[in-house]
Amino acid sequence: MHQHNSYEYLQPGENDALNLDANTMRFVRNLLLDRPARTRLSLRSGTQTIFVNPDTILYVLGQRKHTDLVCIDRMVTCNSSIGEMAKILPPQFYLIHRSYLVNTQYIVAVRRFEAELISGICVPIPAVTYQQAKQDLQNMIWGSEIPLAE
């Protein structure tokens, strides 16, 4: 059996949010979507109401008076501010930067001034709050008894 691996079957812009090759994108998407669905959030996006499962959100990016939710399979723009989003999202979301709420379930590495997500995207951590953010993430993800290496 011949397996054909090429990019010709991808639609333009299909993987802009994650910037992964097709096989990796399918693997990550299936891995994350296999989780049982919990209550979906009801969010205003322009003139419509959209419903988003919080487990599919990788991170939230604040843009003045609206936010962009970067999900595993799409990007959604919401009319809420990042402060309003922080109040309605589950506790696994951490305000890692004043413009970024990150889903701690999908952090795979914490490096100096950035956190890497399962998708390969790196979210910045400000230098001023790096030590506190690192400690908070350690407590949320690994538990306080396991130290993080520099």
Side-chain angles (χ1 to χ4, degrees):
M1 172 181 257
H2 176 70
Q3 183 179 5
H4 180 72
N5 290 325
S6 76
Y7 295 100
E8 67 189 19
Y9 297 106
L10 294 177
Q11 297 297 321
E14 179 182 0
N15 294 327
D16 288 345
L18 300 181
N19 198 19
L20 301 174
D21 66 59
N23 292 331
T24 305
M25 176 66 177
R26 276 196 280 304
F27 173 76
V28 170
R29 185 174 188 276
N30 291 338
L31 178 70
L32 299 179
L33 288 177
D34 281 345
R35 307 179 127 216
R38 88 165 66 170
T39 306
R40 293 183 294 168
L41 300 173
S42 171
L43 303 169
R44 296 288 300 157
S45 178
T47 59
Q48 64 183 347
T49 301
I50 56 170
F51 301 95
V52 178
N53 180 346
D55 287 332
T56 65
I57 301 171
L58 295 171
Y59 68 93
V60 178
L61 173 62
Q63 304 275 357
R64 297 189 189 224
K65 295 186 180 184
H66 72 275
T67 54
D68 293 331
L69 284 69
V70 178
C71 302
I72 57 173
D73 56 347
R74 62 187 170 148
M75 184 179 292
V76 177
T77 300
C78 173
N79 296 351
S80 303
S81 69
I82 196 154
E84 294 167 347
M85 290 300 297
K87 292 176 186 173
I88 63 171
L89 287 170
Q92 80 249 22
F93 283 85
Y94 179 71
L95 188 65
I96 201 164
H97 183 283
R98 72 179 192 181
S99 298
Y100 288 91
L101 276 166
V102 65
N103 190 337
T104 57
Q105 293 178 334
Y106 303 130
I107 294 177
V108 295
V110 176
R111 291 187 289 271
R112 195 99 177 132
F113 310 127
E114 67 182 12
E116 182 180 351
L117 303 178
I118 194 171
S119 63
I121 295 171
C122 291
V123 178
I125 302 174
V128 175
T129 60
Y130 172 73
Q131 289 299 328
Q132 182 62 47
K134 180 179 161 185
Q135 186 65 41
D136 291 346
L137 290 171
Q138 177 179 344
N139 292 336
M140 290 176 76
I141 299 169
W142 297 281
S144 58
E145 68 277 356
I146 302 173
L148 288 177
E150 278 298 317

